[in-house]
Amino acid sequence: MPHNTEVAEARPRRSDETLDCLLRDRVAVHPEDPAVADPPDMRARTGRPPQQWTWARLDQEVDRLAALLLGHGVRRGDTVALQLPPGAELVQSVLACWRIGAVAMPLSVSLRDRSLTYRARRTGARTIVTSTRIGGHRPAAAAVALPCFPAVLAWGPDVPAGAVDLDAAAPAPDEPAAYLSRTGIGPGDRAAMLWTACDGELPYLHRDLQVVPQPDAAPAGEPDAASLTNTTGLTCPAGFRDVLLPWLHSGCRLVHPEEGTSDLTGSSRIPRP
């Protein structure tokens, strides 16, 4: 199906909806339109080829990860640490948390043992989703060695012993839907835990993140029409306010630039060896 270059109008939100409803809206309206794309240099960053997903494929991948999180003990209200580079899998991980009512906590890729342990203990996070390699760092192996993370789920080649290989894992496909039918997730539930240098941890509820302005799409006919470039990390409030939520509300395509070609915040830059 050709890509619809017109950004979909955001329908009024109901007071009882959660952020997962935004994704379901997009899938229902334009399932085969492009949704999210990795940076072209993702292989150099992580050892994995760049991915491009439609809204339908993104929805499937969110369901898959949500089922794996449930299978490893994550439940409504639990905080899940996410240490991933900007790209499709970070977006997928945030959305998977929202699907089952868990709290997404994206963390800077530059954080190391002491900082990760501090944030995990402050928030009660016992699960981390990460990568086997991010630049010169091996975050999955580092997380396995930390007692604060009994569950480490990792993408990438050479997954270390003690971590779950997310590429090979086979979850129960209907588990998220079955869990949702038994569990009431509402707009008053926590959706995200973000960190800032000045204020420390900042919790956000589903209702706090629902109403945002739509992004301006590029003029029709241009190569990047109806797309939004992620020029800020999702580890900070601006990343949610200016990138993730406008993208979900509008239904445009979210693209990630190569490292060094954008103004990504320092907390999102890929660490060197």
Side-chain angles (χ1 to χ4, degrees):
M1 179 183 297
H3 175 49
N4 182 0
T5 58
E6 294 184 1
V7 176
E9 292 291 335
R11 66 172 175 80
R13 313 265 22 114
R14 298 197 314 266
S15 60
D16 61 341
E17 289 183 326
T18 65
L19 289 164
D20 185 50
C21 296
L22 298 175
L23 173 58
R24 295 182 187 276
D25 283 353
R26 304 281 67 83
V27 176
V29 175
H30 298 300
E32 299 307 319
D33 277 4
V36 61
D38 274 334
D41 61 343
M42 183 58 87
R43 188 186 294 275
R45 299 189 192 193
T46 67
R48 291 169 56 77
Q51 304 182 82
Q52 299 188 53
W53 294 340
T54 64
W55 287 102
R57 172 69 185 278
L58 174 62
D59 187 56
Q60 293 170 358
E61 296 296 336
V62 166
D63 248 358
R64 181 177 183 274
L65 181 55
L68 287 168
L69 290 172
L70 288 171
H72 287 84
V74 175
R75 294 295 182 266
R76 172 191 175 189
D78 291 345
T79 300
V80 178
L82 312 174
Q83 193 176 37
L84 294 160
E89 286 162 353
L90 176 55
V91 172
Q92 172 197 5
S93 299
V94 172
L95 297 176
C97 289
W98 290 350
R99 178 146 295 179
I100 59 175
V103 183
M105 185 169 68
L107 297 174
S108 166
V109 297
S110 65
L111 294 183
R112 296 296 183 265
D113 297 2
R114 180 179 298 180
S115 296
L116 288 173
T117 299
Y118 173 76
R119 285 159 175 74
R121 289 178 174 171
R122 282 292 296 261
T123 61
R126 295 175 55 79
T127 301
I128 185 169
V129 180
T130 188
S131 178
T132 58
R133 176 167 70 84
I134 304 177
H137 183 42
R138 299 295 186 269
V144 166
L146 296 177
C148 60
F149 292 124
V152 178
L153 286 65
W155 277 291
D158 304 320
V159 174
V164 177
D165 186 341
L166 286 174
D167 290 314
D174 298 328
E175 194 168 355
Y179 179 74
L180 287 175
S181 69
R182 304 189 303 269
T183 307
I185 300 169
D189 286 359
R190 285 191 176 187
M193 181 68 71
L194 305 177
W195 290 78
T196 68
C198 298
D199 301 319
E201 67 267 38
L202 295 175
Y204 288 88
L205 309 182
H206 282 264
R207 68 164 64 99
D208 295 334
L209 299 172
Q210 282 184 343
V211 182
V212 295
Q214 295 189 67
D216 294 327
E222 291 189 5
D224 291 327
S227 67
L228 177 64
T229 300
N230 181 10
T231 57
T232 185
L234 297 185
T235 60
C236 61
F240 275 65
R241 182 187 66 243
D242 300 335
V243 178
L244 187 66
L245 297 170
W247 164 68
L248 278 172
H249 274 274
S250 68
C252 63
R253 181 180 59 135
L254 181 63
V255 298
H256 297 83
E258 291 189 12
E259 188 181 12
T261 62
S262 70
D263 294 325
L264 279 170
T265 60
S267 63
S268 297
R269 295 191 183 280
I270 306 302
R272 299 301 183 188

